Amino acid sequence: MPDAAEERGFLTKPVSAGTVAIPPRAGEARRRFTDFTYPPKPDDGTRCLNVGRGITLSGEVTACDKLFIEGSVDVKLTNCRIIEIAEAGLFKGSTTIDEAEVRGRFEGDLVVHNRLLIKATGLGT
């Protein structure tokens, strides 16, 4: 019988780098690695970019609907609607955006047209 974490879709077995192969339980189809990503992938066709904890991304990002940052991002961001910076996240750069939620660090220029939410843990410079 699966425990509560497995029922919610969390990976509860240790894995190493590379392909994740989890044998299916009786009556269950094999889950793909992408089924264990967080935050969940939206089903409405929204173009999301998730930068996980420990990941560093630099360069240029264009045309994404939502950018979720738990790692470190140093980019030129254009044509993005929503940015969410987790407590451990760092965004360096400048952008003009519709909505922003800052729980981590933002370094640069941020112009928000509709909704800006800065949590107690959020820092901007």
Side-chain angles (χ1 to χ4, degrees), residues 21-63:
I22 300 173
R25 289 183 226 118
E28 179 179 308
R30 177 170 288 192
R31 293 187 217 175
R32 297 172 307 182
F33 178 74
T34 55
D35 292 339
F36 296 102
T37 58
Y38 179 81
K41 181 180 174 185
D43 294 330
D44 61 0
T46 303
R47 297 167 299 175
C48 292
L49 175 59
N50 299 323
V51 180
R53 189 176 301 245
I55 304 294
T56 299
L57 174 68
S58 62
E60 185 174 344
V61 175
T62 59

Side-chain angles (χ1 to χ4, degrees), residues 87-107:
E87 287 183 22
L90 167 63
F91 181 90
K92 290 182 182 180
S94 58
T95 188
T96 299
I97 203 150
D98 289 335
E99 297 181 22
E101 181 174 327
V102 180
R103 289 180 278 137
R105 284 186 18 218
F106 187 97
E107 296 178 8

Side-chain angles (χ1 to χ4, degrees), residues 3 8 49-50 54 65 86 88:
D3 65 14
R8 289 190 310 269
L49 175 59
N50 299 323
D65 292 323

Side-chain angles (χ1 to χ4, degrees), residues 72-123:
S72 177
V73 173
D74 185 357
V75 297
K76 177 181 177 187
L77 182 63
T78 56
N79 297 324
C80 188
R81 290 186 333 102
I82 301 168
I83 187 170
E84 185 176 338
I85 306 170
E87 287 183 22
L90 167 63
F91 181 90
K92 290 182 182 180
S94 58
T95 188
T96 299
I97 203 150
D98 289 335
E99 297 181 22
E101 181 174 327
V102 180
R103 289 180 278 137
R105 284 186 18 218
F106 187 97
E107 296 178 8
D109 296 319
L110 176 63
V111 177
V112 180
H113 290 292
N114 294 328
R115 179 180 168 264
L116 172 61
L117 179 62
I118 302 174
K119 297 288 190 168
T121 56
L123 300 171

